[in-house]
């Protein structure tokens, strides 16, 4: 892609070097632990511990969770800063990501009236969002609660080394896919999905989830279609990079690699063939009307 020198989005939060944690992350944050130690060895602390013990016994609540809520851990947890110095390669990826986000803003402002631009959050290790705490192992994700995209840039290295999906347009596809989820939030599709939770079986909900993800792939393709028409920045082999990435992260392929078997009822994102199909459909047509995966007879 010929992306260098193009305008970058200003809707970027750089949280690299800031680690977020809390009670929900599988252990006590060191800052919280220090606070608790001081509290427990005070007279007031002994009284509080007694009250918490009685409450926890009566309600079956994990006392650590209860303490975390009292201290304000909640979903946001704590944030600590480290002396983090990104490499030149990582800074280039940050610039690239901001450039791709900026281009999605140009395209979606043209295609959707009163478009609300999402924010891209760059983080390392772990991060706190309105959807809770997450680690880099979660992979890139979109949180409807704060309308932000979250990505640890090390994921791009994992794409290349572990998934065999290298290339800048493959990386652009990942960002555009998460922006696709933002489009779904704006259009009310995410809200409809939320209403289904608990009303249908897990198997049925998984099927809806697949349709949601495939639609995000389609929307990524729609962006790429219009972006190429406007800027002409794709080069030979770029489209193949994105299709290869879509193929690499299909549920069937990932399950086969990790467990040696495939369980279709547990799919939540779609097969490799489906993901490639819907991204390619969006790229070829650029027509939002053709992306209704929820009504499609054949995904």
């Amino acid at each position: 892609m010929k992306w260098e020198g193009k305008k970058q989005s200003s809707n970027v939060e750089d949280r690299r070097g800031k680690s977020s944690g809390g009670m929900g992350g599988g252990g006590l944050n060191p800052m919280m632990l220090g606070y608790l130690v001081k509290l427990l060895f005070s007279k007031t602390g002994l009284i509080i511990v007694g009250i918490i013990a009685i409450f926890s016994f009566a309600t079956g609540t994990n006392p650590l969770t209860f303490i975390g809520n009292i201290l304000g851990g909640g979903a946001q947890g704590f944030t600590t800063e480290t002396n983090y110095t990104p490499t030149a390669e990582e800074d280039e990826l940050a610039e690239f990501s901001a450039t791709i986000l900026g281009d999605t803003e140009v395209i979606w402002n043209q295609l959707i009236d009163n478009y609300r631009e999402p924010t891209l959050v760059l983080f390392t290790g772990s991060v706190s969002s309105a959807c809770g705490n997450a680690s880099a192992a979660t992979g890139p994700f979109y949180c409807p609660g704060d309308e932000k995209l979250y990505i640890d840039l090390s994921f791009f290295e994992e794409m290349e080394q572990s998934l065999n999906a290298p290339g800048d347009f493959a990386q652009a596809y990942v960002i555009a896919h998460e922006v696709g989820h933002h489009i779904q939030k704006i259009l009310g599709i995410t809200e409809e999905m939320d209403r289904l939770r608990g009303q249908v079986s897990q198997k049925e909900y998984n099927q809806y989830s697949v349709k949601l993800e495939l639609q995000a792939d389609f929307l990524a393709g729609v962006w790429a279609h219009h972006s190429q028409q406007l800027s002409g920045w794709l080069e030979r082999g770029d489209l193949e990079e994105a299709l290869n990435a879509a193929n690499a992260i299909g549920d069937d392929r990932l399950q086969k690699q990790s467990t040696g078997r495939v369980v279709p009822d547990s799919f939540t994102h779609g097969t490799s063939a489906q993901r490639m199909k819907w991204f390619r459909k969006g790229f070829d047509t650029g027509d939002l009307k053709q992306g209704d995966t929820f009504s499609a007879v054949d995904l």
Side-chain angles (χ1 to χ4, degrees):
M1 294 182 69
K2 295 176 286 188
W3 65 271
E4 293 89 347
K6 293 187 178 293
K7 183 180 179 180
Q8 299 179 21
S9 172
S10 60
N11 298 312
V12 178
E13 289 182 24
D14 193 344
R15 300 190 201 168
R16 290 178 293 168
K18 299 177 181 180
S19 180
S20 300
M23 300 301 294
L28 284 174
N29 182 280
M31 291 175 61
M32 180 182 286
L33 182 59
Y35 187 94
L36 288 176
V37 170
K38 292 180 181 179
L39 179 63
L40 290 174
F41 284 94
S42 67
K43 292 182 180 180
T44 304
L46 293 176
I47 297 173
I48 293 175
V49 169
I51 294 173
I52 291 174
I54 294 172
F55 178 85
S56 300
F57 178 78
T59 62
T61 303
N62 186 325
L64 293 179
T65 300
F66 183 66
I67 292 172
N69 290 332
I70 291 176
L71 296 179
Q76 299 301 318
F78 290 90
T79 300
T80 57
E81 294 194 24
T82 60
N83 294 324
Y84 180 77
T85 303
T87 64
E89 291 79 6
E90 185 182 326
D91 274 340
E92 183 176 351
L93 283 175
E95 293 176 6
F96 169 80
S97 300
T99 301
I100 298 302
L101 181 65
D103 193 77
T104 66
E105 293 167 353
V106 172
I107 299 303
W108 289 115
N109 270 301
Q110 294 177 356
L111 298 179
I112 296 180
D113 293 335
N114 301 315
Y115 177 64
R116 296 193 307 273
E117 297 174 354
T119 296
L120 172 64
V121 179
L122 305 177
F123 72 95
T124 51
S126 61
V127 71
S128 179
S129 75
C131 297
N133 293 322
S135 70
T138 304
F141 68 95
Y142 170 74
C143 177
D146 54 23
E147 298 192 353
K148 295 181 179 181
L149 293 65
Y150 294 83
I151 185 168
D152 184 320
L153 294 173
S154 65
F155 177 76
F156 292 145
E157 182 179 355
E158 181 181 346
M159 282 180 61
E160 180 174 354
Q161 296 183 357
S162 301
L163 300 178
N164 194 28
D168 49 12
F169 195 52
Q171 297 163 356
Y173 154 69
V174 170
I175 296 171
H177 173 90
E178 299 307 330
V179 173
H181 284 309
H182 178 63
I183 304 300
Q184 292 170 321
K185 164 71 186 295
I186 291 175
L187 298 179
I189 298 170
T190 304
E191 186 178 357
E192 291 293 329
M193 278 288 294
D194 289 340
R195 278 199 280 265
L196 286 173
R197 195 181 298 273
Q199 297 183 10
V200 298
S201 67
Q202 186 61 51
K203 177 181 177 181
E204 290 176 297
Y205 190 81
N206 287 348
Q207 292 171 347
Y208 281 112
S209 178
V210 166
K211 295 177 180 181
L212 187 77
E213 296 295 335
L214 293 180
Q215 187 177 65
D217 283 334
F218 171 83
L219 293 170
V222 169
W223 159 75
H225 170 95
H226 291 280
S227 178
Q228 176 63 2
Q229 285 195 333
L230 182 65
S231 303
W233 60 350
L234 297 187
E235 300 175 292
R236 177 176 295 182
D238 280 343
L239 177 59
E240 287 71 24
E241 288 177 0
L243 291 172
N244 179 53
N247 176 65
I249 55 179
D251 283 328
D252 53 341
R253 178 168 176 172
L254 291 176
Q255 285 190 1
K256 185 72 174 178
Q257 288 176 340
S258 61
T259 66
R261 63 194 186 98
V262 175
V263 184
D265 286 348
S266 68
F267 288 173
T268 58
H269 286 65
T271 66
S272 294
Q274 289 171 335
R275 301 202 69 169
M276 289 190 293
K277 171 185 174 179
W278 283 96
F279 175 80
R280 186 63 191 253
K281 186 175 184 179
F283 183 83
D284 288 343
T285 67
D287 184 1
L288 285 173
K289 296 179 181 178
Q290 298 194 39
D292 186 2
T293 54
F294 294 90
S295 300
V297 176
D298 181 17
L299 291 176

